[in-house]
Amino acid sequence: MDDRHRALARAHELAVDFLDTLDDRPVWPRATYEEMLTAFGGELPAAGSDPVEVIEDLARRSGPGIAGIAGGRFFGFVIGGELPAALGADWLTSVWDQNAGLNSLTPAAAAAETVAGQWIVEALGLPGGTAVGLVTGGMMANYTCLSAARQEVLARRGWDVNERGLFGAPGVRVIVGRDRHDTIDRAVRFLGLGQDAVREVASDSQGRLEPAALASVLEAGTGPAILCLQAGEVHTGAFDPFTDAIELARGHDAWVHVDGAFGLWAAASPAFGHLTSGMAVADSWATDAHKTLNVPYDCGVAMVRDRAAMAAGFGVSADYLIGGAGDPIERVPEFSRRARGFPVWAALRSLGRDGLAAHVDQLCARATQMAAGLAQIPGVEVVNEVAFTQVLTSFGDDVRTAEAGHRLLAEGTAVFTPATWRGRGVQRCSVSSWATTAADVDRTLEAVRRVASAL
Ligand SMILES: Cc1ncc(COP(=O)(O)O)c(C=O)c1O
């Protein structure tokens, strides 16, 4: 056996052992970052080590510092699980080691990405011909889409940002809901537009942008504008009123972007599609494959209706590339990149259209089950309208709520993570994994009951 066989065989054994014991492991890591630094630290030895020994050593040292994200009771942040087919495909992606920028060099990777992109566009009911780029996550998907938006709204005013940069360019307004995700602001800063370009629009109790307030903000300015809407607010899971908001934006020639990092997938379900009603007429959409779709980290999806606007910013020609029109490299900021199309294709192929809808429905059903169970526990209040996969809870005042969260992490059965919603401390529960069963929700509710009764 050569070293690659030995290393892979041992990694496979350790991986299977990890998955088999996941259900019994504490979900929150048992070691701190500092402890892990000690575990991994020391000087780089002068001499190398046998690959199998390195793999075993890595698994041994990492063990206490690995969060149970791959299991059924991790509800922190918004972090998806990993579908079996996507996980297997991701391993093959590493083995094949494709640098997936060019159709000529990596035709399998490029084709899987193209087809997976088309499947996503169809499943979400977006316009045919929408250009799709696979990036690292929702943050970069927002950046990629907003880059195309910046390009296009300035081009409409006769300003070529590629040639002339931003100095002296017409000011671009980026109009956002009060509860947009922080990555929108970060993308705006990366794009050189500056935080001053951001205009906030009031939102309602669930975080949905208010159309009347949007109308006032649009009226209050002139010049190029980009409106950022949201499918799935990170606390409440709420969706913006797309039809009304987009109609208003069209009256001002604004580019409309939808950040749907986890919520865009509602469109794939006949039962929840109404939440995204009207969003398909936007200009760009960002989502994640590593959240609701349950592809292993990392994978975001940037989708732009106007292929030319996307390619205008990212297209590249270097004498040593064997490139051509339509290469993946034209749809993303990266030059070299992982072949993320394989696991995305595998996830979608393993689910099929009906399975994808059923997967979304199951996440929502588990969230509803969780919310109903939490509401029954004395001293626990569900704070949001549970429309999708997010559940916010309070355990009374902020101090008790924070303490409940700490105790839940220490207890180890499940993970909720803390946040502040409308000035109030909450614990967030995001149901984002195919691996979460009804029994996992019941086990979590028992743990929350134990924690709440001991507060
Ligand atoms: C609405 C929204 N947008 C963007 C992001 C950022 O996504 P990522 O962490 O994949 O970069 C998130 C993350 O939770 C999100 O909820």
Side-chain angles (χ1 to χ4, degrees):
M1 238 200 267
D2 80 12
D3 279 352
R4 285 184 298 194
H5 289 198
R6 293 172 57 242
L8 280 176
R10 190 65 186 122
H12 178 259
E13 281 171 5
L14 290 164
V16 169
D17 181 61
F18 172 79
L19 291 176
D20 285 350
T21 55
L22 191 52
D23 209 34
D24 302 320
R25 292 164 57 101
V27 184
W28 192 250
R30 281 300 171 254
T32 62
Y33 168 67
E34 288 71 24
E35 287 164 344
M36 281 289 105
L37 277 183
T38 307
F40 280 104
E43 292 202 349
L44 176 64
S49 300
D50 175 75
V52 171
E53 279 173 27
V54 172
I55 296 294
E56 288 176 342
D57 197 22
L58 174 68
R60 191 170 45 248
R61 290 174 199 247
S62 306
I66 299 287
I69 290 173
R73 293 185 309 281
F74 184 92
F75 303 109
F77 310 99
V78 186
I79 299 191
E82 43 191 10
L83 289 166
L87 175 58
D90 201 55
W91 279 20
L92 285 177
T93 303
S94 291
V95 170
W96 292 335
D97 199 21
Q98 304 291 283
N99 183 350
L102 303 174
N103 293 342
S104 58
L105 170 66
T106 53
E113 178 167 335
T114 301
V115 172
Q118 279 167 4
W119 285 352
I120 293 172
V121 164
E122 282 163 24
L124 301 182
L126 301 180
T130 291
V132 182
L134 299 184
V135 291
T136 50
M139 162 75 227
M140 286 308 292
N142 280 330
Y143 169 81
T144 303
C145 292
L146 292 178
S147 172
R150 180 190 65 168
Q151 168 81 34
E152 174 61 20
V153 295
L154 285 172
R156 283 183 206 157
R157 308 279 159 153
W159 187 274
D160 182 344
V161 73
N162 282 338
E163 291 299 324
R164 305 173 74 183
L166 283 172
F167 295 113
V172 177
R173 289 186 297 158
V174 183
I175 302 168
V176 301
R178 171 185 168 192
D179 296 297
R180 81 286 186 181
H181 195 264
D182 300 293
T183 51
I184 292 286
D185 300 70
R186 205 160 174 240
V188 168
R189 294 198 297 272
F190 287 5
L191 286 164
L193 296 172
Q195 195 69 38
D196 281 356
V198 173
R199 305 277 185 283
E200 249 187 29
V201 176
S203 54
D204 69 12
S205 67
Q206 300 303 302
R208 291 174 291 239
L209 169 147
E210 309 237 28
L214 172 62
S216 310
V217 171
L218 283 164
E219 287 298 333
T222 54
I226 301 168
L227 170 64
C228 297
L229 299 174
Q230 186 162 249
E233 201 283 330
V234 74
H235 302 84
T236 63
F239 292 69
D240 280 337
F242 298 109
T243 304
D244 291 350
I246 295 176
E247 198 181 313
L248 286 166
R250 292 295 178 229
H252 293 262
D253 197 27
W255 175 289
V256 181
H257 170 66
V258 179
D259 174 9
F262 63 93
L264 211 64
W265 297 94
S269 156
F272 291 89
H274 64 277
L275 294 169
T276 59
S277 173
M279 65 92 183
V281 300
D283 299 295
S284 60
W285 306 263
T287 191
D288 268 316
H290 60 216
K291 289 192 170 72
T292 306
L293 185 58
N294 282 204
V295 164
Y297 272 75
D298 51 21
C299 187
V301 188
M303 294 172 280
V304 177
R305 177 197 291 271
D306 179 356
R307 195 165 278 270
M310 205 171 195
F314 299 122
V316 60
S317 66
D319 66 274
Y320 69 95
L321 298 178
I322 313 169
D327 282 329
I329 208 169
E330 290 187 342
R331 304 189 292 272
V332 293
E334 294 94 342
F335 202 64
S336 290
R337 56 200 274 275
R338 184 172 177 78
R340 298 190 179 86
F342 291 132
V344 177
W345 184 91
L348 291 165
R349 183 69 188 82
S350 74
L351 290 170
R353 272 193 92 122
D354 293 348
L356 177 59
H359 168 65
V360 171
D361 294 353
Q362 173 178 309
L363 298 182
C364 294
R366 297 285 87 87
T368 307
Q369 179 193 352
M370 185 76 84
L374 287 166
Q376 303 275 310
I377 299 174
V380 179
E381 180 193 349
V382 174
V383 169
N384 64 318
E385 292 167 15
V386 180
F388 195 55
T389 52
Q390 312 295 303
V391 186
L392 296 181
T393 49
S394 160
F395 290 73
D397 60 29
D398 287 2
V399 175
R400 286 170 67 86
T401 300
E403 182 58 23
H406 290 310
R407 292 195 192 180
L408 195 61
L409 300 189
E411 206 257 5
T413 306
V415 165
F416 290 3
T417 47
T420 304
W421 179 246
R422 298 295 187 245
R424 193 174 175 193
V426 290
Q427 293 294 331
R428 294 183 52 250
C429 166
S430 171
V431 183
S432 304
S433 176
W434 71 279
T436 299
T437 61
D440 283 314
V441 174
D442 286 340
R443 256 177 90 176
T444 302
L445 290 169
E446 280 163 29
V448 173
R449 197 170 291 116
R450 281 194 296 277
V451 163
S453 65
L455 275 177

